[in-house]
Amino acid sequence: MKTKKSPWPRVALYLFVFVMCVVILYPYFVMFTTAAKSNDEMYATGGSLLPSVWQWSNFIDIWREAPVFKYLLNSIIVAGGATFLAIACGIPAAYALSRMRFKGKGIFMGAVIMSQMFSPVVLLVGIYRLMTAMHMTNSLIGLVLLNAAFNQAFAIWLLRGTFTSISSEMEQAAKIDGCGTVQALIRVLLPVSAPGIVTTLIFVFINSWNEYTIALTLISSDLLKPITVGINVFYGFNFIKWQYLFATSIFATIPVVILFLCIEKHLVAGLTSGGVKG
Amino acid sequence: MKENAKPRTLNMRRLEPYVWLLPSILLMGVMILVPIISVFQTSFSEISKSGVNRGFNGVTNYLWVFQNATFWNTLLNTVIWTIVVVGLSTILGIILGLVLNEKFHGRKIVRAIVVFPWATALIIQSVIWKYIINADYGALNALLYKLGIIKSYVNWTATPGQFFAWECFVGILVTIPFVTFCVLSGLQSIDTSLYEAADVDGASFWDRLFKVTLPLLMPSLTVSTVLNIIYVFNSFPIIWTISKGDPADKTHTLVTYLYKLSFTNQRVGEAAAVSVIGFLILAACASVYMVMTLRAEKEEE
Amino acid sequence: MRSFYRKRAALLKKIEEEKNMKKALALLLSMVMVLSLAACGGGGGGGKTSLNVIISQYGNYTQEWWNQFEKDFEAANDTVDLNIEIVSWNDIYSVVSTRIQSKQQPDILNISGFADYVADDLLMKAEDYTSPDVKSKIIPSFWESNAIDGTVWALPILASCRSLFCNMDLLSEAGITAPPTTWDEVLTACEAVKAKHGDSVVPWGLDISTDEGQAAFSYYSWNFGGGYLDASGNWALNSAENVKAVEYIKQLIDSGYCNSAPYTDTRYPLQDAFSAGTLAMMIGPMNMVSADSTVNYQSVNIPGKGVGLGVCDQLMVFKKDDVKDQDARTAAIRAFFDFFYNCERYSDYMVYEGFLPATSDSSDYLASNAEKHKVGGSDATGDSEYFKTFCAQLPTCQFYPMSMAKWMDVRNGVIEVEQQVCQGSISAQEALDNLQASITG
């Protein structure tokens, strides 16, 4: 494909990639080796790179020390629910924005971007008050709604880009064949937009999976905590159980990495359609 | 129903787009707008230490904030933090994206590796790095010592500046994947015939990069940068986990500062004022972007 | 294109389209409705008095003890619906502040500090819900320590006292045979440890973080002869003794005797390092050395004046005017405290968490019966000797001036002073003068 050029830029770039990979992987190496250390070894100065004794029991102990499985399940429910809701609300909005003309379109787009300007941390008190009024302070449904809302802008932006990049001719043809708008959307547009939808799905899922501050403030029962908040039990009044903290972190990371790796191809394809048209 | 079918249809037609937007508007309106309104209200109210609202107090909170030296230092930090993190992660992300677009052995593995920081909760990444850079029992000193690179332990966080630099480093590291993937997707849409044409013209590596690739990447980069600015500006867990804004409140950004004001110093009204100020700053930046895109869209139509 | 779409589609499929759209919208809307309704359901138990309690997380197993407590209490009091929530110290102030701002304060709260709540008239008087039996059990000095102008607003949940811990092996290897008793001896000992052990041991543990930097201020200022208040009970933060104390902290850091990041290191990693034998000396609570540690240590008075820091967290009750049956609520609260301060149950909790009791009957009981109770999360039992020793030490301790209205400001202020001075951006005298001016001004 590319015929002749100096080899040096290439070598430099590969070196760069190698260094990046080392830097990126290093914390995971630390996380893994630390998770397998005994408590005393943790604080040994002149410390060891690898555990002198691999304490595999740490990986088993965490399930007994705290309801880690429940935490993971809660995270899945919250992230899954928020993703579904954000996309279910985002699709019609993105469709209207890409296929219809109407007054206030610019204002709406502006409002969508504005809604991202406040981080949830800033709004904590307001959010808590609202959730109290809705009787959702200690509920996963509250978290689902909030995460969906705070990811709505991103979902709309990505989906709108996807829809805009797809010609509307197919839908029109379908309509002439007797489909309604909704049917044309579902049968024609959505299948073609699959990569964009998958991308949106991943983004929202990850953002919700990683959300910390809202869950921290809203959820009071131990058994309703998502994993990001749940691992706080290893960070207590008189102790920090680094090895448990890290062992649990590994279990919290693996599902997302797997999800990512499965969908990575779609991700790039989806960003293309979403990204080109802002 | 049948009698007034005609006017209804007409109404429906005009209302249709809004009906499509309704679920989204409902969701965001209730879940985001209501809290925003309450933050604005709070910023003009006197809130007691324990959290009781004592009513309207004008711009007192804002005056308090503006008279506070820490606020100005924090504002400067926030600007540095946003520019450094967004800037460097964009540059590094572009390079990484360009490399990953080439075909080489192990490309799939590298792409998988790049995903990692993205897939890990920020709070977890922050905790690990806090542990790594601890000078007394942290992993980095142990590693460098074992490798013989350092003779005695280095205190990585002796000054606020060093703390802040580490925080920027972690910020950059976790932001790179997003940029990389935006670049990768942008690259896919570039027509390879453009490169062939450039080769025929005898273009150098740098010519190809600056005259073909980067200009064509601009649309996806603009969007990723705008989103990154918003996310990084509002980023909380990294700084809060690693330094909590200390030593002596010198490593705050607006978000951690207002969190500390609100929950450690129990100055909720003042904290709300800080968040409104942060909002206004972001809104000003965003309106520039909005004006630009709206103009571009008008030209398109 | 769009005009084409409009004409054709509008003409041909107007009606069907509308139907479909309505269907889709109805679906979406109903989904949102169902979600919100589902969340609104629940709540409102019939006829029971419900009590929401927030307990601070003292240990790894706090949750388990209170789960059992909840079960036992509800079994014994079937008209009360008790909800106990354990919140970590990291988050408790944010959680409580958010709840109060949303008018969702708990009924009973376990936290450190109550003056701000009193200032806002949020608390019930302790006399209103404390049974004579409980009142008679609480050690009088603790009962009075929660009073503002003679009115008691909170009950002591547990106590601890802080003293100096020395790793005797590390010290004797460095040629120091006895724990330091003066501040100069501390410097000598640190220098010796540093010279002998180099990087592998931190001589002196210091925590001036936002978490608990006021504790460090107390250790040093009290034992240099200063403190928070003057003899007549007014704030005296910029006394000459306090200036000396803060300068001494800076000297410890500048000489390289301390852990590397005292601004962000909390006490907990330091304690763990001490238990692992990589930290030679630090000031900490009596239960700071982990149970499985093999370190040979001594715990002695803090150098200088030998004043220990006593910490006594509180349980307090919030007013709830919207509750219809106030009498039932008060009765439930009284029952809660009767149940909690029951000698055996309360003693069990003290052994479980390793803290000191604030009641006289439990102090007496634990001096010889601690072995009957288990330490949280392990099979180890309590040590009567431990309770005997430290309960006797408690009366010599000083406490934070928590009943002062500006205590929280002072607390945050002294942490800021420590950090600013140790960073070298301002002199100790100037920083303390500024603080004194902002507190009394």
Side-chain angles (χ1 to χ4, degrees):
Chain A
M1 195 164 94
K2 280 139 208 172
T3 43
K4 53 166 188 201
K5 60 183 181 193
S6 152
W8 290 112
R10 245 172 192 263
V11 173
L13 288 181
Y14 289 157
L15 197 67
F16 168 78
V17 169
F18 179 75
V19 172
M20 285 298 303
C21 286
V22 170
V23 174
I24 288 173
L25 285 181
Y26 179 58
Y28 297 92
F29 169 78
V30 172
M31 182 153 93
F32 186 72
T33 51
T34 309
K37 280 184 184 174
S38 69
N39 203 29
D40 278 357
E41 209 179 333
M42 286 290 316
Y43 288 95
T45 35
S48 46
L49 295 187
L50 298 175
S52 54
V53 180
W54 289 82
Q55 197 137 1
W56 296 113
S57 58
N58 286 344
F59 289 93
I60 298 156
D61 288 348
I62 51 165
W63 305 93
R64 203 183 51 226
E65 293 281 322
V68 172
F69 180 75
K70 196 77 183 46
Y71 296 155
L72 283 170
L73 195 68
N74 293 334
S75 274
I76 292 173
I77 293 172
V78 169
T83 311
F84 174 76
L85 188 61
I87 291 187
C89 296
I91 286 180
Y95 182 76
L97 288 172
S98 71
R99 294 284 190 267
M100 299 170 192
R101 284 161 180 270
F102 55 91
K103 258 191 198 164
K105 193 165 160 179
I107 295 173
F108 182 77
M109 288 296 287
V112 167
I113 290 213
M114 291 289 177
S115 76
Q116 293 296 288
M117 307 259 158
F118 278 109
S119 89
V121 179
V122 175
L123 299 175
L124 269 185
V125 171
I127 289 173
Y128 194 87
R129 242 179 245 165
L130 171 72
M131 292 326 251
T132 309
M134 294 170 77
H135 297 284
M136 281 191 212
T137 40
N138 192 20
S139 91
L140 293 181
I141 293 168
L143 285 187
V144 166
L145 289 172
L146 282 165
N147 277 307
F150 277 95
N151 283 296
Q152 195 52 193
F154 197 76
I156 291 177
W157 168 71
L158 267 180
L159 292 169
R160 173 178 170 263
T162 308
F163 292 165
T164 312
S165 71
I166 295 168
S167 154
S168 59
E169 276 168 49
M170 296 236 292
E171 290 152 70
Q172 283 153 25
K175 277 173 192 154
I176 293 165
D177 288 348
C179 279
T181 313
V182 176
Q183 271 175 316
L185 169 67
I186 293 171
R187 290 200 194 148
V188 181
L189 186 58
L190 290 191
V192 189
S193 321
I197 294 173
V198 169
T199 311
T200 317
L201 194 137
I202 293 189
F203 273 94
V204 180
F205 188 88
I206 293 212
N207 280 345
S208 319
W209 181 274
N210 289 347
E211 201 287 317
Y212 173 70
T213 26
I214 297 183
L216 176 70
T217 326
L218 284 183
I219 300 295
S220 47
S221 324
D222 193 39
L223 291 177
L224 287 177
K225 286 177 182 162
I227 187 79
T228 45
V229 177
I231 57 172
N232 267 335
V233 297
F234 301 124
Y235 219 102
F237 180 70
N238 243 337
F239 55 86
I240 301 175
K241 296 270 183 200
W242 290 104
Q243 59 280 48
Y244 289 164
L245 191 74
F246 288 167
T248 314
S249 300
I250 291 174
F251 287 110
T253 308
I254 289 173
V256 190
V257 171
I258 292 176
L259 175 78
F260 238 122
L261 294 183
C262 292
I263 320 190
E264 194 234 334
K265 263 186 215 153
H266 300 274
L267 185 66
V268 171
L271 277 169
T272 314
S273 51
V276 173
K277 281 222 174 183
Chain B
M1 179 99 186
K2 258 189 181 171
E3 293 87 2
N4 44 10
K6 218 175 184 184
R8 277 181 63 104
T9 316
L10 224 117
N11 263 341
M12 281 308 278
R13 179 126 297 295
R14 197 173 294 161
L15 281 177
E16 186 183 343
Y18 305 106
V19 178
W20 285 86
L21 292 179
L22 194 64
S24 180
I25 292 176
L26 266 180
L27 187 62
M28 289 196 288
V30 174
M31 295 292 152
I32 304 182
L33 195 63
V34 173
I36 288 180
I37 292 170
S38 96
V39 165
F40 271 88
Q41 254 175 3
T42 310
S43 77
F44 294 106
S45 313
E46 184 189 348
I47 309 286
S48 82
K49 285 265 163 51
S50 50
V52 176
N53 191 335
R54 296 232 175 97
F56 182 76
N57 74 343
V59 292
T60 319
N61 295 330
Y62 289 87
L63 288 179
W64 185 91
V65 169
F66 288 133
Q67 281 161 7
N68 197 315
T70 308
F71 169 75
W72 295 105
N73 181 47
T74 301
L75 197 61
L76 180 69
N77 280 351
T78 313
V79 173
I80 298 175
W81 160 260
T82 311
I83 292 177
V84 168
V85 172
V86 174
L88 287 181
S89 63
T90 305
I91 294 172
L92 294 173
I94 291 174
I95 303 178
L96 203 55
L98 288 172
V99 180
L100 286 182
N101 202 41
E102 308 275 309
K103 288 201 170 73
F104 61 91
H105 284 294
R107 182 172 79 137
K108 275 199 173 156
I109 296 172
V110 177
R111 276 171 91 139
I113 289 173
V114 173
V115 160
F116 271 72
W118 206 0
T120 310
L122 262 184
I123 183 98
I124 292 175
Q125 279 271 357
S126 315
V127 170
I128 300 175
W129 279 103
K130 184 187 169 107
Y131 173 73
I132 288 176
I133 61 176
N134 183 294
D136 300 321
Y137 53 85
L140 185 58
N141 268 337
L143 175 73
L144 296 178
Y145 189 79
K146 285 273 146 72
L147 291 177
I149 297 174
I150 54 171
K151 288 281 175 289
S152 69
Y153 280 9
V154 178
N155 186 356
W156 301 107
T157 51
T159 65
Q162 280 169 307
F163 260 116
F164 200 59
W166 277 107
E167 282 156 359
C168 289
F169 168 79
V170 177
I172 292 166
L173 193 69
V174 299
T175 316
I176 286 177
F178 176 71
V179 182
T180 306
F181 278 87
C182 285
V183 169
L184 273 177
S185 66
L187 285 172
Q188 286 205 335
S189 62
I190 297 178
D191 196 341
T192 45
S193 64
L194 285 170
Y195 288 113
E196 282 153 22
D199 282 345
V200 171
D201 290 346
S204 74
F205 171 85
W206 300 110
D207 285 338
R208 292 157 53 107
L209 181 62
F210 285 106
K211 297 202 173 136
V212 182
T213 314
L214 286 183
L216 288 170
L217 274 180
M218 276 326 274
S220 21
L221 277 180
T222 320
V223 175
S224 81
T225 308
V226 169
L227 282 171
N228 262 340
I229 290 176
I230 296 178
Y231 289 152
V232 171
F233 188 94
N234 280 329
S235 168
F236 174 75
I238 298 175
I239 292 180
W240 191 252
T241 309
I242 294 181
S243 74
K244 287 201 174 175
D246 287 332
D249 288 328
K250 290 224 169 70
T251 61
H252 279 299
T253 62
L254 283 181
V255 178
T256 57
Y257 177 58
L258 74 90
Y259 191 84
K260 183 174 175 181
L261 274 185
S262 173
F263 294 125
T264 307
N265 299 352
Q266 298 153 303
R267 294 185 175 277
V268 176
E270 289 86 343
V274 173
S275 54
V276 170
I277 295 167
F279 167 78
L280 293 177
I281 295 172
L282 270 184
C285 299
S287 54
V288 174
Y289 169 76
M290 283 300 294
V291 168
M292 274 162 50
T293 38
L294 282 181
R295 194 180 293 158
E297 254 171 42
K298 261 188 197 137
E299 277 165 18
E300 234 173 76
E301 275 175 18
Chain C
M1 272 309 200
R2 285 207 170 112
S3 63
F4 167 82
Y5 143 77
R6 268 203 209 142
K7 275 181 213 154
R8 277 301 176 86
L11 284 172
L12 291 174
K13 292 299 160 201
K14 192 164 53 190
I15 298 159
E16 193 193 341
E17 189 180 299
E18 244 177 74
K19 257 191 231 159
N20 275 326
M21 189 170 63
K22 277 181 196 156
K23 240 189 260 170
L25 279 169
L27 200 80
L28 277 170
L29 279 177
S30 58
M31 197 175 64
V32 175
M33 296 287 279
V34 166
L35 280 174
S36 25
L37 281 176
C40 292
K48 279 195 177 185
T49 310
S50 79
L51 282 185
N52 294 315
V53 183
I54 293 183
I55 298 290
S56 312
Q57 188 180 17
Y58 285 101
N60 224 344
Y61 306 94
T62 306
Q63 182 90 44
E64 285 170 31
W65 196 88
W66 286 98
N67 282 349
Q68 191 57 46
F69 180 93
E70 191 174 327
K71 267 183 221 149
D72 294 348
F73 180 83
E74 284 180 346
N77 300 273
D78 55 3
T79 56
V80 183
D81 176 22
L82 190 64
N83 306 303
I84 291 176
E85 181 184 338
I86 308 296
V87 181
S88 84
W89 280 98
N90 213 7
D91 311 321
I92 193 157
Y93 290 96
S94 351
V95 169
V96 172
S97 160
T98 317
R99 302 265 166 94
I100 291 175
Q101 285 171 59
S102 319
K103 301 196 168 63
Q104 295 292 310
Q105 53 265 48
D107 293 283
I108 300 173
L109 170 67
N110 163 207
I111 206 168
S112 177
F114 59 95
D116 288 329
Y117 306 130
V118 175
D120 281 328
D121 193 23
L122 295 173
L123 297 185
M124 284 175 76
K125 290 178 185 163
E127 294 278 4
D128 294 349
Y129 52 79
T130 315
S131 66
D133 178 44
V134 167
K135 190 184 167 184
S136 69
K137 285 199 282 196
I138 292 174
I139 298 172
S141 62
F142 284 135
W143 171 262
E144 283 148 22
S145 71
N146 294 327
I148 296 176
D149 297 335
T151 310
V152 175
W153 296 98
L155 302 177
I157 181 169
L158 46 74
S160 69
C161 66
R162 306 264 174 98
S163 50
L164 175 67
F165 283 74
C166 299
N167 182 325
M168 293 317 290
D169 290 346
L170 292 176
L171 285 186
S172 61
E173 281 166 35
I176 305 285
T177 48
T181 56
T182 68
W183 290 115
D184 286 337
E185 282 177 34
V186 169
L187 295 178
T188 319
C190 286
E191 187 55 45
V193 171
K194 196 183 173 193
K196 168 75 186 162
H197 299 283
D199 273 344
S200 61
V201 171
V202 174
W204 185 263
L206 178 67
D207 157 24
I208 51 170
S209 71
T210 313
D211 259 43
E212 218 193 28
Q214 84 282 2
F217 185 83
S218 312
Y219 308 148
Y220 298 92
S221 65
W222 285 341
N223 287 294
F224 268 88
Y228 296 97
L229 303 170
D230 61 16
S232 48
N234 297 316
W235 293 113
L237 300 163
N238 56 347
S239 66
E241 293 85 358
N242 288 1
V243 173
K244 251 194 266 169
V246 174
E247 280 168 351
Y248 184 82
I249 299 177
K250 181 170 163 53
Q251 189 186 351
L252 283 171
I253 297 177
D254 290 348
S255 314
Y257 298 151
C258 301
N259 40 304
S260 310
Y263 312 101
T264 55
D265 281 344
T266 59
R267 186 159 48 82
Y268 320 120
L270 299 179
Q271 291 173 178
D272 286 338
F274 185 88
S275 304
T278 58
L279 177 65
M281 293 173 280
M282 71 174 283
I283 299 169
M286 69 285 152
N287 55 349
M288 67 163 243
V289 183
S290 72
D292 52 0
S293 172
T294 54
V295 165
N296 168 28
Y297 68 91
Q298 273 187 31
S299 124
V300 295
N301 282 343
I302 298 179
K305 306 270 173 196
V307 179
L309 166 66
V311 175
C312 179
D313 298 332
Q314 296 97 358
L315 281 163
M316 57 205 78
V317 175
F318 281 87
K319 287 182 187 171
K320 281 222 172 141
D321 296 332
D322 55 334
V323 173
K324 278 181 208 113
D325 193 346
Q326 289 288 342
D327 290 342
R329 178 173 181 265
T330 310
I333 291 166
R334 185 174 291 124
F336 175 88
F337 287 120
D338 287 347
F339 201 75
F340 177 66
Y341 285 112
N342 166 286
C343 183
E344 271 195 42
R345 186 169 296 106
Y346 182 66
S347 301
D348 185 65
Y349 189 50
M350 293 305 117
V351 174
Y352 192 87
E353 302 278 27
F355 285 99
L356 304 177
T359 62
S360 47
D361 61 340
S362 179
S363 303
D364 296 344
Y365 171 85
L366 284 173
S368 51
N369 292 298
E371 283 74 14
K372 291 180 186 162
H373 300 275
K374 273 190 178 177
V375 176
S378 80
D379 293 328
T381 55
D383 174 5
S384 299
E385 202 53 39
Y386 167 94
F387 285 98
K388 211 170 168 179
T389 318
F390 287 111
C391 286
Q393 242 181 53
L394 260 185
T396 67
C397 290
Q398 276 193 41
F399 292 82
Y400 297 133
M402 280 197 195
S403 56
M404 298 284 287
K406 291 215 166 158
W407 161 242
M408 285 310 270
D409 283 340
V410 171
R411 173 197 184 278
N412 296 324
V414 296
I415 297 172
E416 219 176 302
V417 166
E418 287 169 326
Q419 295 199 353
Q420 285 173 345
V421 172
C422 294
Q423 273 297 317
S425 53
I426 189 170
S427 79
Q429 182 72 58
E430 198 184 345
L432 287 167
D433 284 346
N434 290 347
L435 177 62
Q436 174 76 12
S438 81
I439 296 296
T440 54

